[in-house]
Amino acid sequence: MSVPGSGILKGLVETARNFAGSYVSPERLVTVQYPEESLPPPENARNFPFLVYDEDPDKGLRCVACKICEKECPPQCIYIVAERDEKGKVLKRPRIFDIDISVCMNCQICAEVCPFDAIKMDTEFELSRYERFGALLLHKQDLAKSNEYYRRIHPTEAAEVDARLAEDRARQQAKAAAAKAAAASPAGAPAPAADKTP
Amino acid sequence: MEPLEQLRARAEASVPGAVLEIVPNACPADPPSLRVDPGHALAVAWFLRDDPQLRLDYASNVTGVDWPETVTKEKARVKRMVDGVVKEFETVVEKRRPGFLEAVYHLYSMELKQGPVILRQRTGDRDRAVTVASLTPVWRGAEFQEREIYDLYGIRFEGHQDLRRLLMWEGFEGHPMRRDYVEPDDYDYEPTPHADVLEKARKHYPAPPAS
Amino acid sequence: MSAAPPSAPLPAGAAIDRDLLEISLGPHHPSTHGVFRMDVVLDGERVVRLKPVFGYLHRNHEKLAEGMTYLSSMPFTDRLDYFCSMTNNWAYALAVEKLAGLQVPDRAQYIRVIVGELTRLLNHACLIGFLTHDMGAMGTPLMYAFREREKILDLFESLSGSRMMCNYMRFGGCRVDLSPAWLQAARKVVDDFPRFLDEFDALLTTNEIVMTRSQGVGILPRELAINASVTGPMLRASGVDYDLRKVDRYGIYDRFDFRVPLGEHGDVYDRIMIRFLEMRESLTILRQALREIPPGPILDPKSKLRGFRPRAGEVYGRIEAPKGELGFYLVSDGSPNPYRYRVRPPSLINLTILEDMCLGQLVADAVIILGSVDIVLGEVDR
């Protein structure tokens, strides 16, 4: 320790060990040659949001244009206009759904606050464009991605969402059936459970 | 840590003329705070730092709060003589609370590992009487934070050695953290025109860019 | 050269006479760790005045937060000290939990300790890397630190979805639960980390160049450190026993057995050593936490994502972030947005005594003194 230069020698031994080790030990060889090879993203990885649709890319969108995500979005990058029918009545689907990914900060709050599991986080990250503005403003048709895609990128989470939605649907169907039965039976004895939970 | 009531009494006894007021805190998680008049703030601060039972040697957080003038409307019943008969009327009484700025100091003791004692100073109003005492002579740690309050809220700290803007540049106008601060209209084209961005876009471009 | 008289500090307003040299270190200078400027006046090689200039990265984070809901500010806290997003989240969540009276379940507390201490590991390792980079060890130690940091960031990514902008904690708990596989991976990182630390130790602590450059440089006396509200490893390097994990015992830090390392001289070398020792203590906390983490819920059932309105009042919540005391002061008027939202940035306040530490030192030492303070400009300028 007291010999001058011994500390430097000790340090150089460490760098030499790392240098040589990087050829043999996977622990020390930590880089990959990116464009040629890339590591798969972890399952929870998130980047920009996308809209989930079930069958049809336009009609099947789960989004009901409730604008909760627009309101909660911290950098205010979501813009929604609800669809209206000829009489001007608001329909439960978006006419415009834009996300400006040059503003989006990948925080996942839109996906978290959405009560309909309609907006989820994508893992796509190779999104560079030549134009600064227009190309980074994603419209409804760019954002719509199928539920199968969602299942592929986030299998665990998608399975949970699917189970929850199926449960909701079953409950609604049961309710509808009960209501139908109640309406069919003339003022008799309606199903008590259906009565209590209108 | 001694009760705040007792602390106040001791501080008032030790600094003649100081008037301290206990400001209640609606949230039970943190103690109420101690408001001190700017004229005696420095003496009270020295007392808090050097008192052997307190030894509040560490000013952790120093910050400003803006309280603009508020007018609250309250319903009140007023009795009035109408045609020789006393009748009760319901009227709306406007209560006006003048605006002020506040500097808040969270003090702890590193030596005795206790705290916090929260000290507040209030300015007279928000335009002219905006001077309070700087506590930087007592706690160096308040130096940058008082500069920041001066910068963002416009409170002047009497006795601060180097009171300049901290985050904004020299020559910047206004104090951006005040609640009535209006940001300058420096609109840049943004691809998501909606809400207030859309309003700005309409002002700058007669027809906003189609989204 | 004859022995020049020691250069006296130049008062703030004093004119710079022609023998002195005024230089501007930064804002675009690799030694300033971001866009930070120091107006330095030199007498020869010695610093006689040093005034930090801030605001190049100012984005009025506090004003933004006043215009949005409590939850919406959470991802912005990630961007304060972008090295330590987990601890930033924690400090903010802690303050809001105090305000709203939320209880954090046990498992979530353990998760917070685990990710918080992992954050401390990566912050300290990188700081030492940056500091040696400032001393002239171009890159190599820094890359070793980054290699280890990447393993921890991989853990964060697989947990929260993002490497650095985690946005992981929620008021009353955490967002997603850990999986057993994650715990296994975290155990492996924690088990492997000492090997890196030993290597790093051998590489640097007895290195003659590191010792000559840093011993006796930038001494911060104990009394001045306290008076100037210096916190974190800087304070403890000056020998003050003040660690909020021991003082406030926030979260569940009273359940872990760890020591608070203290420095003796308060110089740059002590600040390096403190960080080495704190990493070792963090590892002991991590081992205990990873062993004892209980099953259970991770979020207070009273916590709400939408329509969250805490009661009126004011709170100050603070934690021991890797850089020092990170506090959030919140004033609520009962509405969904905070009335006042204030961040107590440890990096900014630790810079208060930068001039005192640099006066009379060589200009090359001013660079490493700044490096030893450990600043991140996202937090300094907010």
Side-chain angles (χ1 to χ4, degrees):
Chain A
M1 199 69 85
S2 56
V3 183
S6 65
I8 291 173
L9 279 179
K10 221 162 112 189
L12 285 174
V13 170
E14 284 307 326
T15 41
R17 190 187 296 161
N18 270 282
F19 173 69
S22 70
Y23 284 95
V24 283
S25 153
E27 301 272 289
R28 294 185 202 270
L29 182 67
V30 286
T31 49
V32 296
Q33 298 297 320
Y34 164 58
E36 287 81 33
E37 49 176 330
S38 66
L39 299 173
E43 205 191 312
N44 277 347
R46 62 171 200 258
N47 211 0
F48 294 111
F50 70 97
L51 294 173
V52 189
Y53 67 80
D54 277 323
E55 270 120 37
D56 181 83
D58 188 46
K59 300 265 177 341
L61 281 179
R62 289 180 189 167
C63 176
V64 299
C66 67
K67 302 197 183 187
I68 290 178
C69 53
E70 182 181 332
K71 209 161 55 207
E72 287 284 345
C73 174
Q76 299 285 299
C77 69
I78 305 178
Y79 177 51
I80 306 172
V81 176
E83 184 87 271
R84 287 168 187 273
D85 65 7
E86 310 84 64
K87 290 175 199 149
K89 192 168 157 274
V90 178
L91 298 177
K92 283 190 171 179
R93 59 170 196 271
R95 179 166 63 83
I96 299 177
F97 196 115
D98 291 350
I99 294 181
D100 180 1
I101 60 166
S102 66
V103 173
C104 174
M105 59 189 215
N106 333 97
C107 66
Q108 195 168 18
I109 281 186
C110 52
E112 253 174 275
V113 297
C114 180
F116 303 98
D117 290 305
I119 187 164
K120 291 291 170 197
M121 301 308 281
D122 207 341
T123 52
E124 183 66 50
F125 57 90
E126 288 157 324
L127 290 161
S128 54
R129 298 284 186 274
Y130 285 105
E131 308 92 82
R132 184 170 159 208
F133 288 134
L136 293 173
L137 178 62
L138 300 186
H139 301 294
K140 190 170 73 171
Q141 56 272 24
D142 314 316
L143 291 166
K145 285 180 183 167
S146 68
N147 196 23
E148 282 70 47
Y149 175 77
Y150 178 42
R151 274 184 214 139
R152 200 161 58 241
I153 57 172
H154 299 303
T156 323
E157 198 186 292
E160 276 169 32
V161 170
D162 282 350
R164 191 163 62 232
L165 289 177
E167 202 181 298
D168 281 356
R169 218 170 296 130
R171 205 181 304 133
Q172 264 171 16
Q173 273 168 6
K175 214 197 279 176
K180 215 174 181 182
S185 64
D195 239 17
K196 271 180 199 150
T197 53
Chain B
M1 195 78 203
E2 64 185 314
L4 202 61
E5 198 60 50
Q6 188 189 329
L7 194 159
R8 186 185 78 149
R10 286 206 305 123
E12 279 180 346
S14 126
V15 183
V19 184
L20 286 104
E21 182 199 342
I22 292 182
V23 182
N25 181 5
C27 178
D30 260 15
S33 45
L34 212 52
R35 186 186 146 199
V36 58
D37 60 304
H40 296 92
L42 198 61
V44 170
W46 282 115
F47 165 78
L48 293 175
R49 202 195 79 167
D50 293 334
D51 183 74
Q53 284 178 49
L54 295 169
R55 297 288 296 134
L56 297 167
D57 48 8
Y58 166 46
S60 161
N61 179 44
V62 182
T63 186
V65 188
D66 180 17
W67 301 96
E69 180 179 298
T70 55
V71 179
T72 44
K73 288 184 178 169
E74 279 179 19
K75 280 183 185 168
R77 301 190 76 82
V78 187
K79 281 178 186 161
R80 219 179 285 159
M81 291 278 276
V82 179
D83 304 332
V85 191
V86 179
K87 278 190 177 174
E88 256 193 1
F89 287 95
E90 203 167 74
T91 55
V92 177
V93 180
E94 283 195 351
K95 273 197 174 169
R96 195 176 143 272
R97 194 207 59 203
F100 57 89
L101 302 162
E102 206 170 32
V104 185
Y105 297 74
H106 284 76
L107 310 173
Y108 289 84
S109 170
M110 278 192 187
E111 193 182 305
L112 304 177
K113 307 236 179 342
Q114 61 184 11
V117 169
I118 306 163
L119 200 65
R120 313 177 93 93
Q121 295 190 70
R122 278 184 194 170
T123 62
D125 58 29
R126 298 172 71 242
D127 319 305
R128 283 178 298 275
V130 288
T131 305
V132 299
S134 168
L135 303 186
T136 305
V138 187
W139 296 288
R140 263 296 291 286
E143 184 184 336
F144 284 174
Q145 306 188 66
E146 282 182 350
R147 268 179 69 186
E148 188 185 314
I149 301 172
Y150 165 70
D151 183 358
L152 302 180
Y153 283 95
I155 303 181
R156 296 197 67 86
F157 287 91
E158 185 106 51
H160 194 289
Q161 291 292 314
D162 185 24
L163 197 63
R164 288 178 293 137
R165 283 189 179 271
L166 184 83
L167 296 169
M168 310 308 284
W169 55 97
E170 290 298 321
F172 180 84
E173 280 186 20
H175 302 288
M177 279 301 284
R178 289 205 183 183
R179 292 189 78 85
D180 49 6
Y181 175 78
V182 183
E183 57 187 294
D185 187 9
D186 49 357
Y187 174 79
D188 256 349
Y189 169 66
E190 280 184 54
T192 328
H194 70 280
D196 50 338
V197 183
L198 179 64
E199 286 303 306
K200 275 189 186 170
R202 285 210 176 110
K203 234 186 279 169
H204 286 256
Y205 300 90
S211 61
Chain C
M1 207 171 110
S2 64
S7 1
L10 192 68
I16 298 159
D17 76 49
R18 62 193 170 79
D19 289 341
L20 301 182
L21 176 69
E22 185 178 20
I23 58 168
S24 185
L25 271 178
H28 295 116
H29 190 275
S31 74
T32 58
H33 298 227
V35 276
F36 173 64
R37 183 153 72 94
M38 297 183 279
D39 270 343
V40 188
V41 179
L42 298 178
D43 180 2
E45 283 270 318
R46 303 268 167 194
V47 176
V48 290
R49 188 167 85 194
L50 185 149
K51 292 287 173 203
V53 182
F54 307 97
Y56 291 95
L57 207 59
H58 182 52
R59 53 209 184 276
N60 227 340
H61 172 71
E62 297 175 3
K63 184 84 176 175
L64 286 175
E66 285 176 10
M68 58 178 75
T69 58
Y70 283 88
L71 176 66
S72 300
S73 295
M74 184 62 92
F76 283 110
T77 63
D78 290 338
R79 279 115 179 125
L80 281 173
D81 172 358
Y82 40 77
F83 263 82
C84 314
S85 69
M86 288 290 193
T87 45
N88 297 347
N89 284 180
W90 192 356
Y92 180 48
L94 189 88
V96 177
E97 280 151 12
K98 263 178 98 174
L99 187 64
L102 295 170
Q103 297 300 321
V104 183
D106 245 21
R107 185 176 174 83
Q109 294 279 26
Y110 272 91
I111 298 175
R112 285 180 176 190
V113 169
I114 292 168
V115 295
E117 293 305 322
L118 285 171
T119 307
R120 200 180 311 276
L121 286 182
L122 71 87
N123 179 73
H124 285 0
C126 290
L127 183 269
I128 296 169
F130 286 129
L131 191 50
T132 47
H133 188 91
D134 290 344
M135 290 179 193
M138 300 302 276
T140 308
L142 181 59
M143 284 306 129
Y144 291 168
F146 265 43
R147 186 182 64 198
E148 298 309 306
R149 167 177 179 254
E150 208 55 40
K151 292 176 188 164
I152 296 172
L153 291 184
D154 280 349
L155 284 178
F156 286 174
E157 187 180 14
S158 66
L159 179 64
S160 73
S162 189
R163 290 164 70 245
M164 290 171 75
M165 303 298 140
C166 296
N167 183 20
Y168 177 60
M169 293 184 196
R170 289 290 171 265
F171 313 134
C174 300
R175 203 182 68 217
V176 282
D177 202 355
L178 309 170
S179 62
W182 192 92
L183 274 178
Q184 210 49 50
R187 280 193 194 105
K188 186 167 178 337
V189 168
V190 170
D191 289 343
D192 289 352
F193 206 83
R195 195 198 64 170
F196 156 74
L197 262 187
D198 294 341
E199 275 184 20
F200 220 40
D201 225 343
L203 184 65
L204 297 174
T205 49
T206 51
N207 184 299
E208 279 85 353
I209 301 171
V210 172
M211 284 157 79
T212 4
R213 281 302 301 277
S214 60
Q215 285 179 345
V217 170
I219 293 177
L220 176 61
R222 186 192 143 88
E223 281 67 39
L224 182 60
I226 297 175
N227 194 242
S229 304
V230 171
T231 45
M234 276 255 298
L235 177 74
R236 293 188 285 275
S238 293
V240 184
D241 181 11
Y242 196 76
D243 186 322
L244 294 182
R245 292 174 294 174
K246 288 280 190 198
V247 175
D248 277 11
R249 296 174 172 270
Y250 62 91
I252 49 163
Y253 273 112
D254 47 353
R255 296 188 199 173
F256 301 112
D257 182 26
F258 66 102
R259 294 173 301 168
V260 178
L262 295 179
E264 225 174 287
H265 309 93
D267 55 4
V268 173
Y269 188 74
D270 271 14
R271 280 174 223 142
I272 299 175
M273 290 313 294
I274 281 286
R275 283 168 174 122
F276 269 116
L277 297 171
E278 283 198 0
M279 281 195 274
R280 298 204 186 268
E281 292 305 316
S282 285
L283 285 171
T284 65
I285 298 176
L286 275 168
R287 275 189 217 105
Q288 294 169 57
L290 287 168
R291 195 171 56 229
E292 293 160 9
I293 180 167
I298 54 158
L299 201 63
D300 185 340
K302 277 190 293 177
S303 160
K304 284 198 286 189
L305 270 182
R306 296 184 292 266
F308 177 73
R309 298 164 81 103
R311 59 192 162 192
E314 56 166 52
V315 290
Y316 178 57
R318 53 179 200 161
I319 69 162
E320 183 71 38
K323 293 184 168 61
E325 174 185 324
L326 176 65
F328 280 81
Y329 171 65
L330 300 169
V331 180
S332 159
D333 55 357
S335 66
N337 300 357
Y339 182 83
R340 172 80 174 106
Y341 166 102
R342 146 89 178 168
V343 188
R344 182 219 189 263
S347 308
L348 170 72
I349 296 164
N350 286 357
L351 285 174
T352 310
I353 32 66
L354 182 65
E355 184 177 20
D356 301 61
M357 290 193 291
C358 292
L359 285 180
Q361 307 271 349
L362 296 171
V363 64
D365 289 341
V367 169
I368 64 165
I369 293 168
L370 174 72
S372 72
V373 177
D374 192 6
I375 59 167
V376 157
L377 269 294
E379 184 177 78
V380 172
D381 289 344
R382 281 159 297 139

